[in-house]
Amino acid sequence: MEKRARMRGQKLDRWGYFFVAPFVLVFCLFNLYPTVYTFLLSFSDLRGLKSGFSIIGAENYVKLAGDPYFWEAVGNTFIMWGWNFVPQLGIALLLSVWLSDVRLKLKGRGVFRALIYMPNLLTAASVAMLFRSLFGYPVGPVNQFLQSLGFFHETVRADGTVVQEAFNFFRNVTVTRGVVAFIQWWMWYGHTVIMLMAGITGIPASLYESAVVDGASSRQTTLYITLPLLRPMMLYILVTSLIGGMQMLDIPFLLTDMRGAPDFKIRTTAVYIYNVAFQGRNDYAYAAAISVGMFIITAVLALVVYLFIQDRSEPARKK
């Protein structure tokens, strides 16, 4: 009987390998192989229309360390990600607390959740083109609305004549960065709300019941129960948002001239990779080095965030 049970277990193990095999094959083909190939390519001299390449060592990384355009792109990425993430987390946290609070007795919570999450279902390319037309120059809907209210962009000619014209929003760095950050926030805050609500649902109801019995208000339960116990979920959201922000491509790419205008202040690291690899000299090797550099920066920052935000009370309690 024991031998028969062992044989049956071995057969089940084989079926497990069979069902796992498709995922392993797809992962190796579309994820592992491109990653290894990119790393190898970063040590080569592949560019232009060449199909072959030779290994040149760390020359691309030396160039990357002193590349001012790369570091400017990194700075642009962090600015727009910060403008997006701070209001995203704040508003999502507020909405998730409201929609999860039983004492508020809000009606139609399911409808609100669906409406909040809907922007996340749209493609970034279509949203970028929509906002490009909304803020278009000179006859975009936003310009027409502002002109109907009497707002114009005034320029003074050489002869002193004051000319009123439409706003060219995408020639202003602050406005363009704000539009990019707003689109990123609008598309992803619904996902953050759902994640935070899932975290709140996982908090034991007995804690809230005990707090209510002790006379705690909604504000107190939020500050002393919800927020501390949501720390792991907020850490997860912060790390994943950081990774996604460092890969920001479609919105700034399609909203501008595909090079991060004006003054390259909208050029993110991902846009810079595209410009280097597929425009100009088609320097695939250097673009691969930029990709690896972006991966290293993201990994280091994610580790720093994890070490900084993780809960240290449990080890201290054990001591």
Side-chain angles (χ1 to χ4, degrees):
M1 290 290 293
E2 207 174 305
K3 184 177 179 182
R4 194 175 298 171
R6 195 182 303 115
M7 292 177 63
R8 190 180 297 116
Q10 290 176 352
K11 289 182 179 179
L12 290 175
D13 289 343
R14 291 171 187 169
W15 278 108
Y17 289 123
F18 174 78
F19 285 113
V20 170
F23 167 78
V24 174
L25 291 174
V26 171
F27 173 79
C28 291
L29 184 62
F30 295 104
N31 198 320
L32 182 61
Y33 170 74
T35 302
V36 174
Y37 183 72
T38 300
F39 185 74
L40 175 65
L41 207 61
S42 66
F43 292 96
S44 71
D45 61 349
L46 181 62
R47 63 172 57 91
L49 300 177
K50 295 193 304 181
S51 58
F53 58 85
S54 57
I55 302 299
I56 59 173
E59 185 177 320
N60 289 320
Y61 290 100
V62 173
K63 178 182 176 182
L64 180 65
D67 186 357
Y69 302 112
F70 168 72
W71 294 112
E72 182 185 22
V74 172
N76 295 337
T77 305
F78 276 110
I79 290 172
M80 288 183 285
W81 173 75
W83 287 10
N84 151 45
F85 180 74
V86 173
Q88 180 187 143
L89 183 61
I91 295 175
L93 188 60
L94 184 63
L95 290 173
S96 61
V97 170
W98 281 350
L99 293 173
S100 302
D101 195 337
V102 179
R103 285 179 286 185
L104 290 179
K105 298 180 181 180
L106 294 176
K107 296 181 180 180
R109 295 185 185 183
V111 177
F112 280 117
R113 293 175 189 174
L115 291 175
I116 289 171
Y117 190 76
M118 278 183 66
N120 193 246
L121 303 177
L122 303 174
T123 60
S126 60
V127 175
M129 298 310 296
L130 170 64
F131 275 80
R132 187 176 176 86
S133 62
L134 285 175
F135 288 88
Y137 174 82
V139 290
V142 174
N143 262 313
Q144 292 181 7
F145 174 72
L146 291 175
Q147 290 171 14
S148 67
L149 297 178
F151 293 99
F152 295 90
H153 175 65
E154 294 185 350
T155 57
V156 182
R157 292 180 176 177
D159 58 355
T161 306
V162 178
V163 178
Q164 292 182 332
E165 58 183 7
F167 291 94
N168 194 343
F169 293 102
F170 295 117
R171 293 190 66 180
N172 185 288
V173 174
T174 304
V175 172
T176 310
R177 282 177 172 175
V179 172
V180 172
F182 175 80
I183 294 174
Q184 293 289 133
W185 168 82
W186 180 68
M187 290 189 65
W188 287 100
Y189 86 102
H191 177 267
T192 307
V193 170
I194 298 300
M195 296 296 292
L196 290 174
M197 289 185 67
I200 294 173
T201 306
I203 298 174
S206 59
L207 295 176
Y208 292 104
E209 293 171 358
S210 301
V212 172
V213 170
D214 291 338
S217 62
S218 297
R219 178 175 172 274
Q220 289 173 323
T221 55
T222 300
L223 289 176
Y224 299 111
I225 297 177
T226 305
L227 292 181
L229 294 179
L230 271 182
R231 178 179 291 184
M233 181 59 72
M234 288 193 288
L235 173 62
Y236 170 79
I237 292 172
L238 175 58
V239 172
T240 53
S241 177
L242 175 64
I243 295 171
M246 289 297 289
Q247 298 174 353
M248 197 187 308
L249 170 66
D250 33 25
I251 301 297
F253 182 80
L254 294 173
L255 207 61
T256 62
D257 62 346
M258 299 186 290
R259 292 181 180 273
D263 299 331
F264 302 108
K265 297 298 183 181
I266 318 299
R267 182 166 62 184
T268 62
T269 48
V271 173
Y272 187 47
I273 290 172
Y274 183 91
N275 296 152
V276 171
F278 304 110
Q279 296 174 340
R281 294 195 308 160
N282 299 111
D283 198 340
Y284 304 114
Y286 187 55
I290 298 173
S291 301
V292 175
M294 187 172 69
F295 167 76
I296 294 173
I297 291 174
T298 306
V300 170
L301 288 174
L303 180 61
V304 170
V305 167
Y306 172 76
L307 294 175
F308 182 74
I309 297 183
Q310 70 173 342
D311 190 3
R312 296 179 177 85
S313 59
E314 189 64 28
R317 199 179 297 120
K318 288 181 180 178
K319 290 180 181 178

